[in-house]
Amino acid sequence: KILVIGANGQIGTELVMALRGIHGAENVIASDINDPTYAIRNSGPFEIVNVLDKHNLHHIFDKHRPTQVYLLAAILSAVGEKKPKMAWDLNMTGLIHVLDFAVEFKTAKVFWPSSIAVFGPHSPQYNTPQYCVMDPNTVYGFSKLAGERWCEYYFEKYGVDVRSIRYPGLIGWKASPGGGTTDYAVHIFHEALKTGKYESFLSADTALPMMYMEDAIRATISLMDAPAGQIKIRSSYNLAGISFTPTQLAQEIKKHIPAFEISYTDTDPRQAIADSWPKSIDDSSAQQDWGWKLEYDLPKMTADMLDNLKRVL
Ligand code: VAH
């Protein structure tokens, strides 16, 4: 049995669909603090789970005895700056509860998402390496950095087979992003189709590492399926994805919607968060250790996003 915690989220929704396709719907228990979203409702077993409620979480582990747990529940960068203590509590305490129950119930594998947000203003900005100075200045960022330390600690001390990926900003059409700084790169597609214009809250030249959700889900499953001996990094693996600016994304969209217009605000707090993050990432460790290879570049992602959104909008 596989347990996905945070199944209603941007990653969780797609991960539940992908894992149910591989393992069969009845073997993948979706869970979230809220009722299931339309995307996953009635598509398989669902539980209400609050990762901060140890009793509730223990009951779910005891009832289902999951062989794999994906802990995706988190508060992201932008929301985390509005609710710093709640972000720290959910992101940290939730992880420690899951790691403790993974020890108690001998869960075979645990997945926990980290982020390029673990890097900060003094990290190298281009081709940011797997190991370097990391001084994240968002609560979300340092909760993910601390979480990486906890994951490596539980692997070293208790042998928990926990695996993690430092996701770039994720772009997909099946589920909305959850209050991050990279959300512009999803909203822009919806606006391009609905109104033909988009006002970006990040400046024209703000380059960030991004990734199409198809690649992100495939990377997650590929990491989790790799033999344990190949996983040399138990904090979290860099993944590079595709780096682009809002201007470059708009130019790509214009190839499909020539009349599309982008404009820019310059007063959004998310700009400072974006400025603290790398512009591009070096993911040679993921390539070497478990054969990672990106499939969607900017043109291919843009075409696929628009084709699918046209259909569902
Ligand atoms: C955020 N989407 O914006 C997340 C992600 C790298 C960005 O961590 O907070």
Side-chain angles (χ1 to χ4, degrees):
K1 292 261 186 243
I2 295 176
L3 173 64
V4 178
I5 304 174
N8 288 345
Q10 185 191 18
I11 301 173
T13 300
E14 302 231 20
L15 209 46
V16 163
M17 293 177 184
L19 291 169
R20 283 179 169 165
I22 297 165
H23 301 280
E26 69 288 350
N27 292 316
V28 181
I29 298 114
S31 71
D32 201 282
I33 195 159
N34 299 311
D35 288 337
T37 55
Y38 174 76
I40 57 167
R41 193 172 302 148
N42 308 321
S43 64
F46 186 90
E47 296 274 13
I48 294 288
V49 162
N50 174 0
V51 290
L52 295 179
D53 176 344
K54 254 195 138 166
H55 177 76
N56 160 255
L57 192 58
H58 189 272
H59 165 71
I60 297 295
F61 266 79
D62 194 23
K63 175 179 171 185
H64 296 289
R65 303 290 170 125
T67 51
Q68 290 189 29
V69 176
Y70 292 74
L71 171 58
L72 303 168
I75 289 180
L76 300 185
S77 59
V79 174
E81 291 308 293
K82 295 193 184 92
K83 305 173 181 171
K85 300 296 178 26
M86 188 175 160
W88 175 260
D89 196 19
L90 173 60
N91 295 0
M92 283 298 71
T93 312
L95 171 62
I96 293 167
H97 285 168
V98 167
L99 290 171
D100 279 340
F101 294 147
V103 174
E104 181 180 341
F105 290 96
K106 297 180 176 44
T107 306
K109 291 179 189 172
V110 175
F111 178 79
W112 182 74
S114 183
S115 162
I116 58 132
V118 296
F119 298 111
H122 294 91
S123 306
Q125 277 215 316
Y126 293 92
N127 292 318
T128 307
Q130 184 68 43
Y131 297 101
C132 63
V133 166
M134 300 161 92
D135 57 341
N137 56 16
T138 61
V139 175
Y140 170 75
F142 58 73
S143 76
K144 287 298 183 182
L145 181 53
E148 291 187 4
R149 301 287 93 229
W150 277 115
C151 289
E152 189 182 81
Y153 191 84
Y154 268 72
F155 171 75
E156 298 294 345
K157 294 278 184 301
Y158 307 109
V160 178
D161 186 350
V162 50
R163 307 182 186 194
S164 179
I165 283 171
R166 290 170 181 162
Y167 289 118
L170 299 182
I171 298 167
W173 53 273
K174 292 177 191 161
S176 305
T181 300
T182 57
D183 296 6
Y184 91 88
V186 177
H187 299 322
I188 189 170
F189 284 100
H190 291 258
E191 288 309 308
L193 289 167
K194 283 182 203 160
T195 65
K197 57 182 185 299
Y198 179 68
E199 188 177 44
S200 170
F201 57 75
L202 294 185
S203 65
D205 58 353
T206 304
L208 284 173
M210 299 281 189
M211 179 175 275
Y212 198 37
M213 190 60 86
E214 263 66 14
D215 272 327
I217 298 300
R218 185 169 51 82
T220 307
I221 291 170
S222 164
L223 172 66
M224 291 299 274
D225 285 350
Q230 285 182 238
I231 310 302
K232 306 282 190 295
I233 291 171
R234 293 293 179 165
S235 48
S236 189
Y237 276 94
N238 276 10
L239 274 195
I242 23 179
S243 290
F244 54 78
T245 64
T247 305
Q248 289 165 326
L249 181 53
Q251 278 158 354
E252 199 56 42
I253 290 172
K254 279 179 187 246
K255 290 179 187 170
H256 302 265
I257 308 172
F260 174 65
E261 288 300 326
I262 187 168
S263 59
Y264 301 94
T265 53
D266 56 6
T267 55
D268 195 292
R270 287 168 288 190
Q271 183 64 49
I273 295 174
D275 291 341
S276 74
W277 289 349
K279 297 184 185 310
S280 62
I281 300 286
D282 168 358
D283 62 8
S284 44
S285 296
Q287 294 175 43
Q288 284 151 24
D289 293 1
W290 44 278
W292 170 242
K293 191 176 174 312
L294 192 76
E295 278 183 16
Y296 285 83
D297 60 10
L298 181 54
K300 193 174 172 189
M301 174 186 75
T302 303
D304 200 70
M305 267 296 273
L306 290 172
D307 287 350
N308 282 290
L309 277 179
K310 267 181 211 149
R311 198 167 34 79
V312 300
L313 281 183

